[in-house]
């Protein structure tokens, strides 16, 4: 899941600049995505996810760790892209609910990246997903995601990368 987990913190570190919605509003008069979703965050975040995936592929090759999932260029690209597209979708619905940028939306804020990443693999490389996903791994992802999410955001808040600790 590293290719899915890394894009968000990297986007928070290096994001900024032109928002993806170009500052435009939706038909309800509220922002489409908001200022928290930028081109720079999206692109650098996805590249970082793919980058860590490439490292994983090399590590598995070099050490022959057969119990690790066998990533492919396809799987790491889908996980990284899906994570931030899931985040983007979440922000779309968050704005429709009238929640401001950075407002708390507990379950959605944590699982958006998991839903986006797994959905992308399911749609475009279901063979890889079914070959590598077990019920145990899925449950571990559901348990680990909120813990990692919270921990990383508290760290980001302390280092003033994030404006809120969630
Ligand atoms: N970020 C970005 N581009 C993205 C995703 C994130 O630039 N595609 C950066 C923004 O600076 C954002 C920060 O990462 O503020 C944290 O991301 P997130 O918590 O997802 O955004 P929020 O600011 O909380 O906005 P939202 O309410 O829409 O979730
Ligand atoms: Mg947020």
């Amino acid at each position: 899941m590293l290719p899915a987990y890394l894009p968000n913190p990297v986007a928070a570190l290096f994001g900024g600049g032109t928002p993806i919605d170009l500052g435009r509003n939706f038909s309800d008069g509220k922002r489409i995505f908001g200022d928290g979703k930028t081109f720079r965050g999206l692109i650098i975040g996805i590249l970082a996810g793919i980058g860590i995936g490439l490292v994983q592929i090399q590590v598995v090759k070099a050490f022959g760790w057969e119990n690790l999932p066998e990533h492919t260029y396809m799987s790491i690209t889908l996980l990284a892209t899906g994570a931030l597209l899931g985040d983007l979708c979440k922000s779309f619905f968050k704005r429709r609910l009238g929640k401001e940028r950075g407002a708390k939306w507990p379950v959605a804020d944590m699982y958006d990246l998991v839903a986006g990443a797994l959905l992308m693999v399911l749609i475009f490389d279901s063979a890889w997903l079914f070959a590598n996903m077990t019920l145990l791994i899925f449950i571990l992802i559901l348990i680990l995601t909120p813990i990692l999410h919270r921990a990383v955001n508290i760290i980001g808040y302390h280092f003033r990368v994030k404006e809120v600790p969630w």
Side-chain angles (χ1 to χ4, degrees):
M1 285 301 278
L2 277 178
Y5 285 147
L6 198 62
N8 271 282
V10 168
L13 266 176
F14 300 107
T18 312
I20 296 168
D21 64 10
L22 303 172
R24 284 178 303 199
N25 290 338
F26 195 61
S27 55
D28 57 8
K30 299 187 180 88
R31 289 289 293 276
I32 301 175
F33 301 119
D35 284 330
K37 307 295 122 154
T38 67
F39 285 111
R40 204 163 76 207
L42 186 72
I43 292 164
I44 299 181
I46 290 174
L47 288 179
I50 294 173
I52 193 81
L54 291 176
V55 171
Q56 282 178 276
I57 290 175
Q58 291 312 313
V59 164
V60 169
K61 246 194 221 161
F63 297 96
W65 286 342
E66 279 153 20
N67 50 340
L68 279 184
E70 200 145 325
H71 271 305
T72 60
Y73 295 142
M74 185 72 169
S75 70
I76 61 176
T77 306
L78 291 173
L79 286 174
T81 309
L84 283 188
L85 288 185
D87 174 59
L88 193 62
C89 275
K90 172 216 60 190
S91 289
F92 176 79
F93 290 109
K94 208 167 163 181
R95 299 297 91 80
R96 305 289 73 76
L97 290 175
K99 292 181 190 293
E100 294 298 323
R101 169 194 179 179
K104 219 174 189 169
W105 192 18
V107 180
D109 271 332
M110 289 178 173
Y111 289 113
D112 54 356
L113 67 113
V114 172
L118 295 186
L119 208 61
M120 281 288 272
V121 205
L122 180 67
I123 296 171
F124 295 106
D125 196 357
S126 55
W128 184 88
L129 188 66
F130 294 126
N132 290 285
M133 182 63 68
T134 63
L135 184 63
L136 178 65
I137 294 178
F138 186 66
I139 292 171
L140 275 176
I141 291 171
L142 292 187
I143 297 171
L144 272 178
T145 299
I147 299 172
L148 285 173
H149 187 270
R150 188 86 179 117
V152 168
N153 283 333
I154 289 173
I155 294 169
Y157 176 69
H158 275 288
F159 285 98
R160 297 176 197 276
V161 171
K162 280 201 58 122
E163 283 154 29
V164 287
W166 52 77

